[in-house]
Amino acid sequence: MQSVHPILASRPGELSTREKLVLSMTAEGKTAGDIAEELHISQRTVHAHLQNASEKMQAANKTQTVVEAMRYGQIQLR
C-alpha cells in the first residue's frame, strides 16, 4: 500500500487517544471482539469509539473513517 501523506496536521474534530487506537487496530483488520479483548473493554465501547470517530471525521462508514483519519494524519499503520 502506498503511503498516504497528511493533508493537514489536524482537522476539526481531533480524535481522542482511544479513538485513534481503536481505528488503528481496525485498520489492521482486527474485529470489534479482538479489540475489546485486547483493550479489556466491551464490544459496545469499541463500537462507541468507532461511531464517535466517524462523526468527527464526517465519514459514512468504518472504512471511510479509517481512510480519513489516515489522510489527516491522525492515525498511521504500524
Side-chain angles (χ1 to χ4, degrees), residues 41-63:
I41 58 177
S42 72
Q43 287 187 38
R44 185 174 182 166
T45 301
V46 171
H47 289 292
H49 287 311
L50 290 171
Q51 179 64 36
N52 291 340
S54 180
E55 290 173 10
K56 290 177 181 179
M57 293 288 101
Q58 302 169 2
N61 56 49
K62 181 169 51 176
T63 302

PDB file of all heavy atoms in Angstrom, residues 41-63:
ATOM      1  N   ILE A  41     -12.146  -3.941  27.185  1.00  0.00           N
ATOM      2  CA  ILE A  41     -13.364  -3.132  27.155  1.00  0.00           C
ATOM      3  C   ILE A  41     -14.445  -3.954  26.456  1.00  0.00           C
ATOM      4  O   ILE A  41     -14.153  -5.003  25.878  1.00  0.00           O
ATOM      5  CB  ILE A  41     -13.158  -1.781  26.416  1.00  0.00           C
ATOM      6  CG1 ILE A  41     -12.690  -1.990  24.969  1.00  0.00           C
ATOM      7  CG2 ILE A  41     -12.160  -0.895  27.183  1.00  0.00           C
ATOM      8  CD1 ILE A  41     -12.531  -0.711  24.149  1.00  0.00           C
ATOM      9  N   SER A  42     -15.683  -3.496  26.499  1.00  0.00           N
ATOM     10  CA  SER A  42     -16.760  -4.224  25.831  1.00  0.00           C
ATOM     11  C   SER A  42     -16.779  -3.911  24.339  1.00  0.00           C
ATOM     12  O   SER A  42     -16.256  -2.878  23.899  1.00  0.00           O
ATOM     13  CB  SER A  42     -18.108  -3.853  26.454  1.00  0.00           C
ATOM     14  OG  SER A  42     -18.472  -2.532  26.088  1.00  0.00           O
ATOM     15  N   GLN A  43     -17.409  -4.802  23.577  1.00  0.00           N
ATOM     16  CA  GLN A  43     -17.570  -4.549  22.152  1.00  0.00           C
ATOM     17  C   GLN A  43     -18.425  -3.307  21.928  1.00  0.00           C
ATOM     18  O   GLN A  43     -18.208  -2.561  20.972  1.00  0.00           O
ATOM     19  CB  GLN A  43     -18.205  -5.747  21.452  1.00  0.00           C
ATOM     20  CG  GLN A  43     -17.262  -6.917  21.314  1.00  0.00           C
ATOM     21  CD  GLN A  43     -17.845  -8.021  20.469  1.00  0.00           C
ATOM     22  OE1 GLN A  43     -18.525  -7.759  19.478  1.00  0.00           O
ATOM     23  NE2 GLN A  43     -17.583  -9.264  20.860  1.00  0.00           N
ATOM     24  N   ARG A  44     -19.359  -3.090  22.824  1.00  0.00           N
ATOM     25  CA  ARG A  44     -20.205  -1.902  22.725  1.00  0.00           C
ATOM     26  C   ARG A  44     -19.355  -0.628  22.823  1.00  0.00           C
ATOM     27  O   ARG A  44     -19.586   0.349  22.102  1.00  0.00           O
ATOM     28  CB  ARG A  44     -21.258  -1.936  23.824  1.00  0.00           C
ATOM     29  CG  ARG A  44     -22.255  -0.838  23.742  1.00  0.00           C
ATOM     30  CD  ARG A  44     -23.337  -1.018  24.772  1.00  0.00           C
ATOM     31  NE  ARG A  44     -24.314   0.042  24.640  1.00  0.00           N
ATOM     32  CZ  ARG A  44     -25.484   0.039  25.201  1.00  0.00           C
ATOM     33  NH1 ARG A  44     -25.859  -0.979  25.948  1.00  0.00           N
ATOM     34  NH2 ARG A  44     -26.314   1.042  25.041  1.00  0.00           N
ATOM     35  N   THR A  45     -18.366  -0.635  23.709  1.00  0.00           N
ATOM     36  CA  THR A  45     -17.465   0.515  23.855  1.00  0.00           C
ATOM     37  C   THR A  45     -16.621   0.692  22.600  1.00  0.00           C
ATOM     38  O   THR A  45     -16.402   1.823  22.148  1.00  0.00           O
ATOM     39  CB  THR A  45     -16.577   0.353  25.104  1.00  0.00           C
ATOM     40  OG1 THR A  45     -17.424   0.230  26.258  1.00  0.00           O
ATOM     41  CG2 THR A  45     -15.637   1.532  25.285  1.00  0.00           C
ATOM     42  N   VAL A  46     -16.167  -0.415  22.015  1.00  0.00           N
ATOM     43  CA  VAL A  46     -15.418  -0.349  20.755  1.00  0.00           C
ATOM     44  C   VAL A  46     -16.273   0.336  19.694  1.00  0.00           C
ATOM     45  O   VAL A  46     -15.826   1.266  19.014  1.00  0.00           O
ATOM     46  CB  VAL A  46     -14.988  -1.757  20.275  1.00  0.00           C
ATOM     47  CG1 VAL A  46     -14.397  -1.689  18.861  1.00  0.00           C
ATOM     48  CG2 VAL A  46     -14.001  -2.381  21.242  1.00  0.00           C
ATOM     49  N   HIS A  47     -17.525  -0.107  19.570  1.00  0.00           N
ATOM     50  CA  HIS A  47     -18.422   0.486  18.568  1.00  0.00           C
ATOM     51  C   HIS A  47     -18.694   1.961  18.866  1.00  0.00           C
ATOM     52  O   HIS A  47     -18.812   2.765  17.929  1.00  0.00           O
ATOM     53  CB  HIS A  47     -19.725  -0.308  18.489  1.00  0.00           C
ATOM     54  CG  HIS A  47     -19.549  -1.660  17.864  1.00  0.00           C
ATOM     55  ND1 HIS A  47     -19.226  -1.845  16.541  1.00  0.00           N
ATOM     56  CD2 HIS A  47     -19.623  -2.898  18.391  1.00  0.00           C
ATOM     57  CE1 HIS A  47     -19.127  -3.132  16.281  1.00  0.00           C
ATOM     58  NE2 HIS A  47     -19.355  -3.795  17.398  1.00  0.00           N
ATOM     59  N   ALA A  48     -18.766   2.323  20.138  1.00  0.00           N
ATOM     60  CA  ALA A  48     -18.971   3.735  20.500  1.00  0.00           C
ATOM     61  C   ALA A  48     -17.771   4.574  20.058  1.00  0.00           C
ATOM     62  O   ALA A  48     -17.943   5.677  19.518  1.00  0.00           O
ATOM     63  CB  ALA A  48     -19.194   3.872  22.002  1.00  0.00           C
ATOM     64  N   HIS A  49     -16.556   4.068  20.262  1.00  0.00           N
ATOM     65  CA  HIS A  49     -15.353   4.791  19.817  1.00  0.00           C
ATOM     66  C   HIS A  49     -15.358   4.947  18.296  1.00  0.00           C
ATOM     67  O   HIS A  49     -15.027   6.021  17.770  1.00  0.00           O
ATOM     68  CB  HIS A  49     -14.083   4.067  20.256  1.00  0.00           C
ATOM     69  CG  HIS A  49     -13.790   4.162  21.719  1.00  0.00           C
ATOM     70  ND1 HIS A  49     -13.796   5.350  22.412  1.00  0.00           N
ATOM     71  CD2 HIS A  49     -13.463   3.201  22.624  1.00  0.00           C
ATOM     72  CE1 HIS A  49     -13.495   5.121  23.688  1.00  0.00           C
ATOM     73  NE2 HIS A  49     -13.293   3.830  23.833  1.00  0.00           N
ATOM     74  N   LEU A  50     -15.738   3.886  17.588  1.00  0.00           N
ATOM     75  CA  LEU A  50     -15.791   3.948  16.131  1.00  0.00           C
ATOM     76  C   LEU A  50     -16.848   4.943  15.656  1.00  0.00           C
ATOM     77  O   LEU A  50     -16.618   5.708  14.715  1.00  0.00           O
ATOM     78  CB  LEU A  50     -16.067   2.560  15.542  1.00  0.00           C
ATOM     79  CG  LEU A  50     -14.936   1.545  15.675  1.00  0.00           C
ATOM     80  CD1 LEU A  50     -15.420   0.158  15.261  1.00  0.00           C
ATOM     81  CD2 LEU A  50     -13.736   1.955  14.843  1.00  0.00           C
ATOM     82  N   GLN A  51     -18.001   4.955  16.320  1.00  0.00           N
ATOM     83  CA  GLN A  51     -19.072   5.885  15.957  1.00  0.00           C
ATOM     84  C   GLN A  51     -18.642   7.332  16.203  1.00  0.00           C
ATOM     85  O   GLN A  51     -18.846   8.203  15.352  1.00  0.00           O
ATOM     86  CB  GLN A  51     -20.344   5.571  16.754  1.00  0.00           C
ATOM     87  CG  GLN A  51     -21.509   6.505  16.456  1.00  0.00           C
ATOM     88  CD  GLN A  51     -21.993   6.413  15.019  1.00  0.00           C
ATOM     89  OE1 GLN A  51     -21.997   5.344  14.430  1.00  0.00           O
ATOM     90  NE2 GLN A  51     -22.386   7.526  14.454  1.00  0.00           N
ATOM     91  N   ASN A  52     -18.025   7.581  17.350  1.00  0.00           N
ATOM     92  CA  ASN A  52     -17.554   8.934  17.662  1.00  0.00           C
ATOM     93  C   ASN A  52     -16.504   9.397  16.655  1.00  0.00           C
ATOM     94  O   ASN A  52     -16.542  10.537  16.182  1.00  0.00           O
ATOM     95  CB  ASN A  52     -16.975   8.992  19.082  1.00  0.00           C
ATOM     96  CG  ASN A  52     -18.033   8.830  20.145  1.00  0.00           C
ATOM     97  OD1 ASN A  52     -19.221   9.039  19.909  1.00  0.00           O
ATOM     98  ND2 ASN A  52     -17.607   8.431  21.326  1.00  0.00           N
ATOM     99  N   ALA A  53     -15.586   8.503  16.311  1.00  0.00           N
ATOM    100  CA  ALA A  53     -14.549   8.842  15.330  1.00  0.00           C
ATOM    101  C   ALA A  53     -15.167   9.117  13.963  1.00  0.00           C
ATOM    102  O   ALA A  53     -14.767  10.051  13.268  1.00  0.00           O
ATOM    103  CB  ALA A  53     -13.523   7.709  15.240  1.00  0.00           C
ATOM    104  N   SER A  54     -16.153   8.329  13.607  1.00  0.00           N
ATOM    105  CA  SER A  54     -16.834   8.503  12.329  1.00  0.00           C
ATOM    106  C   SER A  54     -17.498   9.873  12.236  1.00  0.00           C
ATOM    107  O   SER A  54     -17.395  10.560  11.217  1.00  0.00           O
ATOM    108  CB  SER A  54     -17.875   7.393  12.149  1.00  0.00           C
ATOM    109  OG  SER A  54     -18.550   7.540  10.930  1.00  0.00           O
ATOM    110  N   GLU A  55     -18.141  10.277  13.311  1.00  0.00           N
ATOM    111  CA  GLU A  55     -18.779  11.600  13.341  1.00  0.00           C
ATOM    112  C   GLU A  55     -17.745  12.707  13.223  1.00  0.00           C
ATOM    113  O   GLU A  55     -17.933  13.671  12.484  1.00  0.00           O
ATOM    114  CB  GLU A  55     -19.607  11.757  14.612  1.00  0.00           C
ATOM    115  CG  GLU A  55     -20.851  10.895  14.609  1.00  0.00           C
ATOM    116  CD  GLU A  55     -21.601  10.911  15.932  1.00  0.00           C
ATOM    117  OE1 GLU A  55     -21.273  11.732  16.817  1.00  0.00           O
ATOM    118  OE2 GLU A  55     -22.521  10.085  16.082  1.00  0.00           O
ATOM    119  N   LYS A  56     -16.651  12.571  13.946  1.00  0.00           N
ATOM    120  CA  LYS A  56     -15.599  13.589  13.910  1.00  0.00           C
ATOM    121  C   LYS A  56     -14.943  13.691  12.537  1.00  0.00           C
ATOM    122  O   LYS A  56     -14.571  14.774  12.098  1.00  0.00           O
ATOM    123  CB  LYS A  56     -14.533  13.298  14.967  1.00  0.00           C
ATOM    124  CG  LYS A  56     -15.014  13.523  16.381  1.00  0.00           C
ATOM    125  CD  LYS A  56     -13.954  13.146  17.388  1.00  0.00           C
ATOM    126  CE  LYS A  56     -14.434  13.345  18.808  1.00  0.00           C
ATOM    127  NZ  LYS A  56     -13.385  12.958  19.787  1.00  0.00           N
ATOM    128  N   MET A  57     -14.804  12.549  11.851  1.00  0.00           N
ATOM    129  CA  MET A  57     -14.192  12.523  10.527  1.00  0.00           C
ATOM    130  C   MET A  57     -15.215  12.788   9.422  1.00  0.00           C
ATOM    131  O   MET A  57     -14.857  12.822   8.247  1.00  0.00           O
ATOM    132  CB  MET A  57     -13.528  11.159  10.267  1.00  0.00           C
ATOM    133  CG  MET A  57     -12.320  10.865  11.132  1.00  0.00           C
ATOM    134  SD  MET A  57     -10.880  11.861  10.672  1.00  0.00           S
ATOM    135  CE  MET A  57     -10.946  13.120  11.925  1.00  0.00           C
ATOM    136  N   GLN A  58     -16.470  12.958   9.819  1.00  0.00           N
ATOM    137  CA  GLN A  58     -17.561  13.194   8.868  1.00  0.00           C
ATOM    138  C   GLN A  58     -17.586  12.090   7.814  1.00  0.00           C
ATOM    139  O   GLN A  58     -17.703  12.348   6.618  1.00  0.00           O
ATOM    140  CB  GLN A  58     -17.426  14.580   8.231  1.00  0.00           C
ATOM    141  CG  GLN A  58     -17.422  15.689   9.256  1.00  0.00           C
ATOM    142  CD  GLN A  58     -17.018  17.029   8.688  1.00  0.00           C
ATOM    143  OE1 GLN A  58     -16.763  17.166   7.495  1.00  0.00           O
ATOM    144  NE2 GLN A  58     -16.955  18.032   9.544  1.00  0.00           N
ATOM    145  N   ALA A  59     -17.483  10.857   8.293  1.00  0.00           N
ATOM    146  CA  ALA A  59     -17.412   9.690   7.411  1.00  0.00           C
ATOM    147  C   ALA A  59     -18.718   8.901   7.451  1.00  0.00           C
ATOM    148  O   ALA A  59     -19.427   8.900   8.456  1.00  0.00           O
ATOM    149  CB  ALA A  59     -16.251   8.797   7.850  1.00  0.00           C
ATOM    150  N   ALA A  60     -18.995   8.226   6.350  1.00  0.00           N
ATOM    151  CA  ALA A  60     -20.237   7.478   6.216  1.00  0.00           C
ATOM    152  C   ALA A  60     -20.153   6.062   6.780  1.00  0.00           C
ATOM    153  O   ALA A  60     -21.176   5.464   7.108  1.00  0.00           O
ATOM    154  CB  ALA A  60     -20.643   7.408   4.743  1.00  0.00           C
ATOM    155  N   ASN A  61     -18.930   5.523   6.892  1.00  0.00           N
ATOM    156  CA  ASN A  61     -18.782   4.154   7.383  1.00  0.00           C
ATOM    157  C   ASN A  61     -17.391   3.967   7.989  1.00  0.00           C
ATOM    158  O   ASN A  61     -16.562   4.869   7.954  1.00  0.00           O
ATOM    159  CB  ASN A  61     -19.050   3.142   6.261  1.00  0.00           C
ATOM    160  CG  ASN A  61     -18.156   3.367   5.061  1.00  0.00           C
ATOM    161  OD1 ASN A  61     -16.944   3.515   5.184  1.00  0.00           O
ATOM    162  ND2 ASN A  61     -18.756   3.415   3.873  1.00  0.00           N
ATOM    163  N   LYS A  62     -17.166   2.765   8.510  1.00  0.00           N
ATOM    164  CA  LYS A  62     -15.906   2.483   9.201  1.00  0.00           C
ATOM    165  C   LYS A  62     -14.702   2.600   8.265  1.00  0.00           C
ATOM    166  O   LYS A  62     -13.673   3.155   8.649  1.00  0.00           O
ATOM    167  CB  LYS A  62     -15.991   1.073   9.794  1.00  0.00           C
ATOM    168  CG  LYS A  62     -14.798   0.621  10.560  1.00  0.00           C
ATOM    169  CD  LYS A  62     -15.034  -0.656  11.345  1.00  0.00           C
ATOM    170  CE  LYS A  62     -15.610  -1.768  10.542  1.00  0.00           C
ATOM    171  NZ  LYS A  62     -15.755  -3.022  11.293  1.00  0.00           N
ATOM    172  N   THR A  63     -14.838   2.115   7.046  1.00  0.00           N
ATOM    173  CA  THR A  63     -13.729   2.183   6.097  1.00  0.00           C
ATOM    174  C   THR A  63     -13.365   3.625   5.785  1.00  0.00           C
ATOM    175  O   THR A  63     -12.188   4.001   5.802  1.00  0.00           O
ATOM    176  CB  THR A  63     -14.082   1.432   4.796  1.00  0.00           C
ATOM    177  OG1 THR A  63     -14.392   0.067   5.125  1.00  0.00           O
ATOM    178  CG2 THR A  63     -12.941   1.486   3.801  1.00  0.00           C
TER     179      THR A  63
END
